[in-house]
Amino acid sequence: MTSKNDLDRRSFLKASIIAGGAAVFGFSLPVGLRAAERLGVTLEPVADFQPNAFIKIAKDGRVTVVVGQAEMGQGVFTSLPQIVADELEVDWANVSYESAPANKAFINPAMGMQGTGGSSSVKGLFAPLRKSAATVREMLVAAAAQGWNVAPETCKAESGKVIHAASGRSAAYGDLLDAAAKVAPPANPKLKDPKDFKYIGKAVKRLDSPEKVNGKAIYGIDVKVPGMLTATILRSPVIGGKVKTVDDAAAKAVKGVTSVISLEYGVAVVAENFSAARKGRSALKVTWDEGAMASVSSESIYTAFASAADKDKGLVAKKTGDVADGKAKAAKTVEAIYWTPFVAHATMEPMTFTADVRKDGAEVWGGVQAQMLVQQTVAATAGVPVDKVKVNTTLLGGGFGRRFEMDYVIDATLLSKAVGKPVKVIWTREDDMQNDVYRPATYNKMSAGIDASGKPIFWHHRVVNDAIMARAGKAFGFILKDDQLDDSSFEGAHNLPYAFPNFQCDWVRKDTGVPVGFWRSVGSSHTAFSTECFLDEVAFAAGKDPVAFRLAMLDKHPRHAAVVKLAAEKAGWGKPAEAGIFRGIAVHESFGSYVAQVAEVSVAKDGKVRVHRVVCAVDCGQVVNPDTVAAQMEGGIVYGLTAALYGEITIKDGRVQQRNFTDQKVLRMNEMPKVEVYIVPSTENHGGVGEPGTPPIAPAVVNAIFAATGKRVRSLPIKTAELAAKA
Amino acid sequence: MAKISVNRKQYEVDADPGTLMLWVLRDEIGLTGTKFGCGIAQCGSCTIHVDGEAKRSCVTPLSSVLGKEITTIEGLSNDLTHPLQKAWIDGDVAQCGYCQSGQIMAAATLLKNNKKPTDADIDQAMAGIICRCGTYNRIKDAIKQAAINGGK
């Protein structure tokens, strides 16, 4: 937002926000929230620290909230301004947002970096934003009180005004800016009593809807910079392959192609527009050094994982009691292998990034989840100082963890540096599908037992997969050691809430060479499937109802139990469903939120699975915007259901076999279940909502399929052929 | 030079006749509301209207639209007053928003041809447009709301 009173506003901000911001960020980071911190990763500090400004107030009274988090659908352009509007006492109609640059001031305390992930935006920024807004509010009140020569305590802030009721005077915030700039910021501003919240906890409308329904919203792919060229890159068909020979004569002859640049990992065609770039790319003749991955296939990976599960010791992620002892005492033992494949992110907007690298610095544009990492990556790639890199965060056409990666950022930076002009790199859908960092394929060897009275006595889960941090950590300068646990690979399995007196979760790390990454809800996205389906098997072996069995083991986990009860009650668990429809339940905690889902499913004679209705109960602690919570649960369910029904990336001779939405199907409207979301009222700390909706849906559906067919689906995606004639 | 009409405005475009409309709109005319998602008419993010009917601009060559009226999301209304835009805002439909241009353009054609679509009608008309954020139920509700409010 621009204002003709820019100077005044700026001096006001300087006075207020430097102090407010410093106070806000002057605490140490909470530990243990995400893998990066759990592993002791620290980020390289940005060379030049600029104090932040969360809040801008214009002379006309409009408030702009500067949002350091990336907007990728989760609603941070609404939920974060909501927090400010409430504590600052301004009307929602006068609040807008803008995207912040990469800057240390915008570090999310819940992540330890300026990053958007781990479902942590509200969790990390609720307190800092409130304090920052309260600081500004008190300065405005002090300024007005000074002018009226009354005590600040006798004034109140309301609807963008300071009011002195006793004398009937009031002053608009916009008229107090100059005076407020001279007020010393309070160190400990008084926060509102939550019972007085006007916006926090309310389903206010999204601020970013208008630009998202009239074509004006700018995503990475929409960036246009003067003199910009557009590039597309032909990459090795084999994972990790390198360029061997290039014949670019035909490509260079294409009208509009300005240059062909050979990179180690691919050949880029740079052109005046995307059409020419793509045409040039298809005219390239490139041979490849295929490298070590050429002998790898999905089958070889499965075989290696199965062997590792049996033979490799692995690392103990958690151990209680003694599972061997429990097994010896078990009256009945259940054993199973659960498998989840590699899965692509498939954001709607393929990877896209624009860079303008100059000798003395760089400016970049795109949808990214980690602005400071982008800044550092661009600086290192372009060979310019970090503080000379300006990062412009556009809207993200979906993130889901994919836009934490730096590959597409490096593409544009290398090419702009090579051609000396701004370059926008656009990945095709095929590039995106075949060069993703996939959810790790995971092999689960599971056993559990019940004693003669039907009580659970042991649980042993061996998780075999890649370590996400072994690759992703490198961007942070982090090397995962062989004897080091990477929670992101097994989270959700080692912290199983159920009371098994003898419990063990082992992690066997097997590096496959297939790039793996953070995929919406990360480890929980697959551990919820293995654990909640296998638990259903144990319940069945014990002859118990799945809900009753879970509740009996959740004495020490009341929040889990509460969402199980709520989802079961709302779904009508225990009462007959419509003819042909069967129910399954699952519960899982991730990112500080507890989610239970009941899926209502039918299985046709041909094995086709139809999910009719999903009842979702969520306890995410205090809520800023209940409609956002509901939307994130709905979205998380669709994301997880798509993976359960269709998500599978297969590898043959080192090549990813899926290319587009034809061979990697995703859920469409005609397959969409009804979704009901129920939020548990809570005063607990904020949990996340972007991810926790995803984990329970696959096991809830698969458990319903068992109810419908008597067949246990232990491998995803669900194979229709295997269910045919079981219904 | 090809002459085309987009959102009731005339443009002269210097592009080969085979150039796909998605890129004519985005790169030549500068209308970026129409999105690239798959390039093979599978996701519907690039949906536009050609003489009022929904078309996938990513597979529609420039040569096929000469003399026809093209409408993009930018041309649906000047001021967010189209019943679908209003219903989308009212229902907080969009999450990331990337697919929503295509969703709205497809829905506009549906409502033009069917004033009171049933759930099955909506499923059929909208199944071609992928949303990875999972806004399908809100889209469906918004279409019904727009139908009530006189969507066309």
Side-chain angles (χ1 to χ4, degrees), chain B residues 80-151:
Chain B
L80 297 164
T81 52
H82 190 281
L84 284 165
Q85 290 173 319
K86 290 205 278 198
W88 246 248
I89 292 170
D90 193 49
D92 275 336
V93 172
Q95 288 189 28
C96 91
Y98 192 79
C99 73
Q100 301 297 349
S101 299
Q103 303 281 3
I104 291 171
M105 295 308 280
T109 296
L110 165 67
L111 291 189
K112 185 181 75 116
N113 298 325
N114 182 348
K115 303 284 181 222
K116 281 188 182 159
T118 62
D119 281 4
D121 295 336
I122 297 173
D123 280 350
Q124 199 190 354
M126 302 300 293
I129 325 288
I130 293 171
C131 171
R132 290 288 284 148
C133 296
T135 64
Y136 296 128
N137 287 344
R138 288 174 188 244
I139 289 171
K140 192 180 277 185
D141 290 345
I143 292 173
K144 290 183 200 167
Q145 191 58 46
I148 291 166
N149 296 342

Side-chain angles (χ1 to χ4, degrees), chain A residues 545-566:
Chain A
D545 170 76
V547 168
F549 187 72
R550 281 175 173 80
L551 291 176
M553 298 174 73
L554 288 170
D555 267 0
K556 295 207 169 100
H557 294 274
R559 295 178 77 182
H560 284 84
V563 290
V564 167
K565 280 182 201 158
L566 182 59

Side-chain angles (χ1 to χ4, degrees), chain A residues 71-73 345-348 351 369 396-404 518-520 639, chain B residues 96 133:
Chain A
E71 162 55 30
M72 48 188 168
H345 292 84
T347 58
M348 268 331 293
M351 296 305 106
Q369 288 181 245
L396 284 65
F400 314 125
R402 178 60 179 90
R403 286 188 162 87
F404 243 98
F518 305 109
W519 187 97
R520 195 173 191 170
Y639 206 73
Chain B
C96 91
C133 296

Side-chain angles (χ1 to χ4, degrees), chain A residues 35 61-62 119 130 162 195 219 248 263 288 305 311 333 380 393 396 484 492 503 576 616 630 678 701 723:
Chain A
R62 282 199 66 82
S119 301
R130 280 186 75 191
V162 180
K195 74 173 168 45
Y219 299 83
D248 60 8
L263 306 166
W288 305 92
F305 280 14
K311 293 176 191 149
T333 297
T393 304
L396 284 65
Q484 203 169 5
F503 175 93
C616 174
Y678 300 94
V701 167
L723 294 174

Side-chain angles (χ1 to χ4, degrees), chain A residues 635-658:
Chain A
I637 287 165
V638 174
Y639 206 73
L641 186 54
T642 290
L645 293 174
Y646 304 121
E648 184 174 33
I649 290 294
T650 54
I651 313 288
K652 192 176 180 210
D653 302 329
R655 291 158 168 81
V656 171
Q657 293 180 286
Q658 290 69 27

